[in-house]
């Protein structure tokens, strides 16, 4: 790949795996654009699997033990990021982190990094719609009750103000980015997997806003319901997507990506 200054820059003290990840993404995008696109679509597919098991388990849990659904949803949804990380697919909120570091460290020009990020986000959205429709055709999504966990969880998102969505978007991607950075410190697969699960559990349990997850859950609720769920309009969906995206970028891109890149400019006692 071609770096901004013609050669790979100094890494500071950030983990080498972090830089290798950026390099792999940029190389794939430059050498095989459509493979990058399909990997972005596959991220939505794994999110659809994770959302399905989490929503359905939460519904059954609430029937057996009222109030347990939220715990079950958070635990099983967390496995989604495990699949995404280990299957090497492209997640837009993760790339907010990686591409911000790439620009700050002068790995890539802003235009290239932005192109990589927005291509990923666009095809996460397209993949989310496609996968949601296909999944909704399976038996498990047929004849869901109106108070199903999927419908109530999605409807609740449309009651939030733009400011709340933005703040929760920040929190969500701080957590996602933290889990990604944490995995670079783990010495074995067990540590990496459990660090992802217990960190992602935080945002899933709290119901924070993650734009790519919403790319899947919103159309999934729409198709499974046979139309809009309560509160779902083009305006409410667009509002959520816009303010969640902005919050996710601030959280994962700036507060984790840019800040930890800045922390690492001067190697010293603290190693990031």
């Amino acid at each position: 790949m071609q770096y901004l200054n013609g050669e790979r820059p100094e890494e500071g003290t950030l983990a080498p795996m972090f830089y290798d990840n950026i390099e792999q993404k940029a190389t794939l995008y430059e050498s095989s654009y459509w493979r990058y696109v399909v990997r972005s679509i596959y991220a939505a597919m794994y999110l659809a699997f994770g959302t399905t098991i989490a929503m359905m388990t939460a519904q059954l849990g609430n029937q057996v033990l009222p109030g347990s659904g939220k715990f079950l949803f958070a635990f099983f949804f967390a496995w989604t990021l495990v699949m995404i990380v280990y299957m090497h697919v492209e997640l837009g909120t993760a790339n907010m982190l990686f591409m911000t570091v790439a620009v700050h460290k002068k790995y890539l020009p802003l235009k290239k990094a932005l192109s990589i990020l927005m291509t990923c986000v666009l095809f996460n959205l397209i993949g989310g719609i496609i996968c949601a429709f296909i999944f909704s055709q399976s038996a498990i999504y047929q004849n869901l009750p109106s108070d199903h966990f999927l419908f109530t969880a999605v409807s609740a998102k449309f009651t939030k103000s733009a400011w709340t969505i933005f703040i929760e978007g920040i929190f969500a991607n701080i957590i996602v980015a933290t889990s990604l950075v944490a995995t670079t410190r783990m010495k074995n697969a067990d540590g990496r997997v459990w660090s992802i699960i217990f960190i992602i559990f935080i945002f899933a349990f709290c119901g924070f806003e993650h734009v790519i997850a919403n790319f899947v859950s919103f159309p999934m609720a729409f198709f499974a319901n046979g139309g809009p769920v309560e509160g779902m309009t083009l305006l409410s969906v667009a509002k959520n997507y816009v303010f969640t995206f902005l919050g996710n970028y601030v959280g994962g891109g700036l507060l984790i990506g840019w800040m930890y890149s800045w922390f690492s400019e001067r190697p010293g006692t603290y190693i990031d």
Side-chain angles (χ1 to χ4, degrees):
M1 61 174 284
Q2 294 296 316
Y3 297 110
L4 183 59
N5 292 330
E7 59 182 14
R8 181 166 170 152
E10 293 296 324
E11 295 183 356
T13 56
L14 279 173
M17 188 185 301
F18 202 78
Y19 290 92
D20 291 342
N21 204 323
I22 294 171
E23 187 169 358
Q24 289 171 2
K25 292 173 184 293
T27 300
L28 176 63
Y29 183 85
E30 293 170 356
S31 64
S32 186
Y33 175 83
W34 288 108
R35 285 183 173 83
Y36 182 86
V37 163
V38 174
R39 285 180 184 269
S40 299
I41 293 172
Y42 266 51
M45 179 182 74
Y46 293 123
L47 269 166
F49 279 120
T51 299
T52 296
I53 187 60
M55 294 288 187
M56 297 305 172
T57 304
Q59 175 70 10
L60 291 174
N62 277 338
Q63 292 173 0
V64 175
L65 179 63
S68 66
K70 198 171 185 180
F71 292 91
L72 292 168
F73 171 82
F75 178 77
F76 284 103
F77 182 82
W79 286 91
T80 299
L81 192 63
V82 176
M83 290 188 282
I84 287 171
V85 168
Y86 278 90
M87 296 304 289
H88 293 279
V89 292
E90 295 296 316
L91 182 69
T93 45
N95 283 333
M96 292 176 183
L97 166 71
F98 293 120
M99 292 302 109
T100 299
V101 173
V103 172
H104 184 252
K105 291 295 188 184
K106 296 184 172 59
Y107 261 54
L108 298 171
L110 175 61
K111 183 178 179 181
K112 175 59 69 63
L114 187 61
S115 179
I116 292 172
L117 172 60
M118 295 312 295
T119 298
C120 180
V121 171
L122 173 62
F123 284 97
N124 285 165
L125 172 59
I126 292 172
I129 295 170
I130 294 171
C131 291
F133 174 74
I134 294 172
F135 273 64
S136 72
Q137 304 306 299
S138 63
I140 198 170
Y141 277 102
Q142 303 304 308
N143 302 313
L144 299 183
S146 60
D147 63 347
H148 192 278
F149 192 93
L150 170 63
F151 301 145
T152 58
V154 169
S155 292
K157 292 178 178 292
F158 300 128
T159 66
K160 298 177 183 178
S161 68
W163 177 249
T164 299
I165 293 169
F166 176 70
I167 294 299
E168 291 190 358
I170 293 175
F171 292 158
N173 216 25
I174 286 177
I175 294 167
V176 171
T178 296
S179 71
L180 294 171
V181 175
T183 61
T184 68
R185 309 303 176 81
M186 301 299 168
K187 298 184 181 298
N188 56 53
D190 289 344
R192 286 191 288 272
V193 168
W194 288 109
S195 68
I196 291 172
I197 290 170
F198 285 113
I199 295 172
I200 295 300
F201 183 96
I202 300 169
F203 113 70
F205 181 83
C206 294
F208 293 150
E209 297 294 332
H210 184 276
V211 69
I212 313 302
N214 291 348
F215 283 171
V216 173
S217 63
F218 289 6
M220 191 169 279
F222 178 89
F223 291 126
N225 191 51
V229 297
E230 184 177 355
M232 179 183 282
T233 65
L234 286 176
L235 182 60
S236 65
V237 170
K239 181 183 79 171
N240 182 280
Y241 284 169
V242 169
F243 287 98
T244 301
F245 178 91
L246 294 174
N248 287 169
Y249 182 74
V250 171
L254 299 182
L255 296 182
I256 300 297
W258 183 83
M259 286 299 294
Y260 272 80
S261 182
W262 176 69
F263 289 160
S264 302
E265 285 185 339
R266 296 180 181 275
T269 304
Y270 289 93
I271 298 176
D272 292 312

